[in-house]
């Protein structure tokens, strides 16, 4: 799928953001969630570096210029990421976290701008190089700080909320509602804490990652489509690790506002 070069920044949807979070935490031991939601500014920086390196390589090697298909594919990728960021902005606004919503909205705008640059016509190598560098410039023009507590890694936007995690854990233990929904909610907060803690509170980071792996093991004990049939012993062990990780999160920093 390709997009026109004048495509506007997408509008966000909080419900879509919640559904996407559920899908992401259930895959690849949380790695997809961490890349997409936990450390989105880091991923944007890496993407900008990729485009700048491709432009530099194309400038040095006439045969190494990216073709139209690759550029349009990257345009589609940036547009998808713009939509994800816009949805997260809507969710943050719904949760009355305006500072986070503003940063997510800025990220959505930067990805949408990069997508438009990459979708521009490329009659020759020079235009491809220009489009790549303009896309890199767009992604590098991000807010220099995040609205988090002092010292939060600049790659993070969304912050963990210990209270949300404890509510989900309590509901899961009591059987209040679908257990998978609560397991996913616990994991969301633990993965956000892990993104925050990496390189700052290593003990808490490792405890959180162990809890995420335990939740993933519990999830995998249920037959497909039968989340309520998770092994109760494995689930209890995962809840105990999750409680330890939430304690570590509470000790590491104040919870998200």
């Amino acid at each position: 799928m390709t997009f026109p070069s004048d495509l506007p920044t997408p509008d966000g949807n909080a419900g879509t953001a919640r559904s996407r979070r559920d899908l992401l935490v259930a895959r690849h031991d949380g790695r997809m969630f961490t890349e997409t939601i936990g450390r989105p500014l880091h991923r944007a920086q890496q993407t900008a570096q990729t485009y700048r390196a491709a432009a530099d390589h194309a400038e040095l090697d006439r045969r190494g210029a990216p073709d139209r298909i690759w550029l349009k594919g990257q345009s589609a990728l940036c547009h998808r990421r713009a939509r994800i960021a816009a949805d997260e902005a809507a969710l943050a606004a719904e949760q009355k976290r305006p500072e986070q919503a503003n940063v997510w909205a800025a990220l959505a705008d930067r990805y949408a701008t990069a997508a438009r640059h990459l979708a521009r016509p490329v009659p020759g190598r020079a235009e491809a190089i220009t489009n790549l560098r303009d896309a890199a410039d767009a992604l590098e023009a991000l807010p220099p700080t995040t609205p988090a507590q002092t010292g939060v890694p600049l790659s993070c936007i969304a912050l963990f909320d210990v209270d949300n995690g404890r509510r989900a854990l309590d509901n899961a233990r009591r059987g209040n509602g679908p257990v998978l929904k609560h397991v996913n909610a616990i994991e969301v907060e633990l993965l956000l804490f892990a993104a925050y803690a990496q390189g700052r509170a290593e003990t808490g980071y490792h405890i959180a990652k162990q809890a995420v792996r335990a939740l993933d093991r519990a999830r995998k004990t249920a037959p497909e489509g039968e989340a309520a049939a998770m092994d109760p012993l494995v689930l209890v062990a995962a809840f105990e690790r999750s409680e330890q990780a939430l304690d570590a999160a509470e000790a590491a920093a104040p919870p998200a506002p």
Side-chain angles (χ1 to χ4, degrees), residues 89-208:
L91 180 60
E94 182 184 272
Q95 295 171 339
K96 295 185 169 42
R97 296 174 179 172
E99 295 86 358
Q100 290 182 27
N102 289 341
V103 181
W104 279 115
L107 181 61
D109 177 72
R110 294 296 84 205
Y111 266 124
T113 301
R116 289 191 289 270
H117 289 315
L118 293 167
R120 292 186 312 214
V122 282
R125 185 172 64 97
E127 289 79 9
I129 292 170
T130 297
N131 292 356
L132 282 165
R133 287 184 172 151
D134 287 348
D137 288 343
L139 292 176
E140 288 172 349
L142 287 165
T145 60
T146 62
Q149 302 98 322
T150 301
V152 168
L154 294 182
S155 57
C156 300
I157 299 176
L159 294 181
F160 62 95
D161 189 322
V162 174
D163 289 341
N164 282 348
R166 292 199 190 283
R167 275 194 297 272
L169 179 58
D170 185 60
N171 285 328
R173 283 172 163 166
R174 294 173 181 271
N176 295 335
V179 65
L180 182 60
K181 174 184 176 182
H182 300 314
V183 166
N184 289 347
I186 296 165
E187 190 166 339
V188 163
E189 300 305 336
L190 294 181
L191 287 167
L192 289 175
F193 168 59
Y196 165 88
Q198 188 172 15
R200 301 181 70 254
E202 286 298 314
T203 299
Y205 168 77
H206 289 297
I207 292 172

Side-chain angles (χ1 to χ4, degrees), residues 195-236:
Y196 165 88
Q198 188 172 15
R200 301 181 70 254
E202 286 298 314
T203 299
Y205 168 77
H206 289 297
I207 292 172
K209 295 298 286 184
Q210 289 170 4
V212 166
R213 285 192 288 270
L215 290 169
D216 192 53
R217 283 194 297 271
R219 193 187 285 113
K220 289 177 178 176
T221 63
E224 187 172 353
E226 299 180 35
M230 282 185 271
D231 186 309
L233 294 179
V234 179
L235 199 55
V236 166

